[in-house]
Amino acid sequence: MSGYILAIDQGTTSSRAIVFDADMRIAGTGQKEFTQFYPQSGWVEHDPEEIWKTVVWSVRQALKNAGVEAADISAIGITNQRETVVVWERETGKPIHNAIVWQDRRTASYCDKLKRQDLEKTFTRKTGLLLDPYFSGTKLSWMLANVKGTRTRAARGELCFGTIDTFLIWRLTGGKAFVTDATNASRTLMFNIETQEWDAELLKILRIPADMLPEVKDCAADFGVTDKSLFGAEIPILGVAGDQQAATIGQACFEPGMLKSTYGTGCFALLNTGEDMVRSKNRLLTTVAYRLDGKVTYALEGSIFIAGAAVQWLRDGIKVIKKAEHSGDLAAEADPTQDVYLVPAFTGLGAPHWDAEARGAIYGMTRNTGPAEFARAALEAVCYQTRDLLDAMRKDWKSSGATTVLRVDGGMVASDWTMQRLADILDAPVDRPTILETTALGAAWLAGQRAGVWPKQKAFAKAWARDRQFKPEMDDKTRNAKLKGWRDAVRRTLSQ
């Protein structure tokens, strides 16, 4: 066995493939962006066929750039954008509709209807989630109700549902494997995180046939083997985890109390709570951190819908920057006397507010407000929202303590300005690892240790290395004034 592991990281805006060598170092990468579709306000879709093509292209490119053949790869680990819904024909593998993306808000009224029927407590008790359009269940229900002929075909067993991992595995194995893992299943609103099974009562409420759903496996398991025609050799798929859980693993947050936050399109903070399934009183999510050898480790999660997407808005929407990496330098030039706040509720607000109807707003503009102030407001919004999550976590789980160190990853953490401001707003240290590709690393580790070519959990955790620690430098008076302004801006933005 060579020790080479291939990680497929299928994200919200691009598909990536990374080849890691036996020493867990990056040997080669491939990446390709794909189209975002916005059919109506608050709706977001992807073309599953385009996603598939970008994944295949990225894998081939990563193999080429690493100078290895498919036969050199010991195993594949897959990580993916969670909650996004794909439905395809069992016979042909052809999708019946565009994928409905996790950001999509089209089922807000349906979620409200279920809440009025007093069903949110039932869903939360069983799944750890809230009734919000974010999760897969209501998206799938919408597809069954609105795509012509779908409900009848589903009842006949002709259709398959999957999150992106399931769709990719189906395609990679030539339709031989219809599977998912416990982390992706836990984000669907249909999976009981206590019994670790699809829940018949919830399926009945949502009117979803159980035959549509894949088999749920551990995060490290035998998920199938790739078709030889794709890459030139069969490769076993041995690891799968949703992107945020994969990042938690890649950050080696294996001990209760460890906290990571990933800054990609959105921002997602996970606090490991061990075997303790903490029921949030502050509208955080109880979720599966990972399941290994049949044993479940739980987490509290806070989900922010817009993080890096706010920087994309600066670049593509109002065109105040040419490249995303310029945002930190521009923010540093902002007038410190201007208190400009951006509440980036472009697709509603996530935790701890969960307001699907809220929309983005900017407060505190003056005649002198310009691109630098917009850039600072966009980056600071991510910091403020992370602080809201951390405060809620501390209230929910006292064991998390007041001196939490946050391990960060994702594209935004390369900005020193943003990470320093994050430490200042949190009033807590922020650790940036040497390997920023922690999501892909987590998926790769699941597969590598399952294949027997990478170290087990303790040795992997010991190998985690810090690039830099950012410590708070802002005084309490300034921090408190900024937080007060942020909370006022959020209050003004909420729809109710």
Side-chain angles (χ1 to χ4, degrees), residues 12 36 42 44 101-105 134 139 265 305-306 309 347:
T12 307
Q36 309 290 309
V44 190
V101 181
W102 58 272
Q103 298 162 312
D104 188 283
R105 314 303 286 169
Y134 174 31
K139 299 179 194 295
T265 303
F305 299 145
I306 301 294
T347 54

Side-chain angles (χ1 to χ4, degrees), residues 216-428:
V216 182
K217 291 177 171 277
D218 286 353
C219 298
D222 298 329
F223 290 92
V225 178
T226 63
D227 191 285
K228 186 179 179 179
S229 64
L230 285 171
F231 310 118
E234 293 184 342
I235 311 171
I237 304 166
L238 299 182
V240 177
D243 53 9
Q244 304 313 318
Q245 283 89 342
T248 303
I249 293 165
Q251 289 277 32
C253 290
F254 294 125
E255 298 299 322
M258 296 185 76
L259 174 67
K260 79 90 204 175
S261 192
T262 298
Y263 297 92
T265 303
C267 163
F268 303 87
L270 264 77
L271 174 69
N272 184 324
T273 61
E275 297 177 19
D276 190 3
M277 195 166 65
V278 177
R279 301 290 188 180
S280 177
K281 294 181 176 64
N282 293 279
R283 297 186 65 75
L284 296 176
L285 308 174
T286 307
T287 199
V288 174
Y290 47 86
R291 192 176 91 189
L292 297 171
D293 299 320
K295 181 183 176 184
V296 182
T297 296
Y298 293 99
L300 274 175
E301 177 175 326
S303 309
I304 297 167
F305 299 145
I306 301 294
V311 178
Q312 290 175 324
W313 173 74
L314 291 175
R315 183 191 66 191
D316 305 332
I318 59 174
K319 302 185 190 311
V320 298
I321 55 173
K322 289 186 177 178
K323 293 185 177 180
E325 54 266 32
H326 295 165
S327 58
D329 291 339
L330 185 59
E333 299 172 5
D335 179 359
T337 66
Q338 290 193 52
D339 294 318
V340 180
Y341 293 91
L342 166 66
V343 183
F346 301 154
T347 54
L349 282 172
H353 310 288
W354 295 107
D355 187 341
E357 302 303 326
R359 288 297 177 263
I362 298 173
Y363 300 93
M365 284 192 296
T366 69
R367 181 65 181 80
N368 293 326
T369 300
E373 287 72 37
F374 280 126
R376 185 185 63 191
L379 297 179
E380 284 188 333
V382 177
C383 305
Y384 293 132
Q385 290 178 100
T386 306
R387 173 63 186 252
D388 289 345
L389 297 183
L390 191 56
D391 287 348
M393 286 175 173
R394 285 170 174 162
K395 290 174 186 174
D396 274 335
W397 201 56
K398 305 300 182 186
S399 303
S400 63
T403 55
T404 305
V405 176
L406 178 66
R407 289 185 174 181
V408 297
D409 55 80
M412 293 187 77
V413 307
S415 166
D416 289 353
W417 188 93
T418 307
M419 292 303 98
Q420 183 57 55
R421 186 52 54 101
L422 180 61
D424 289 340
I425 297 300
L426 296 183
D427 194 20

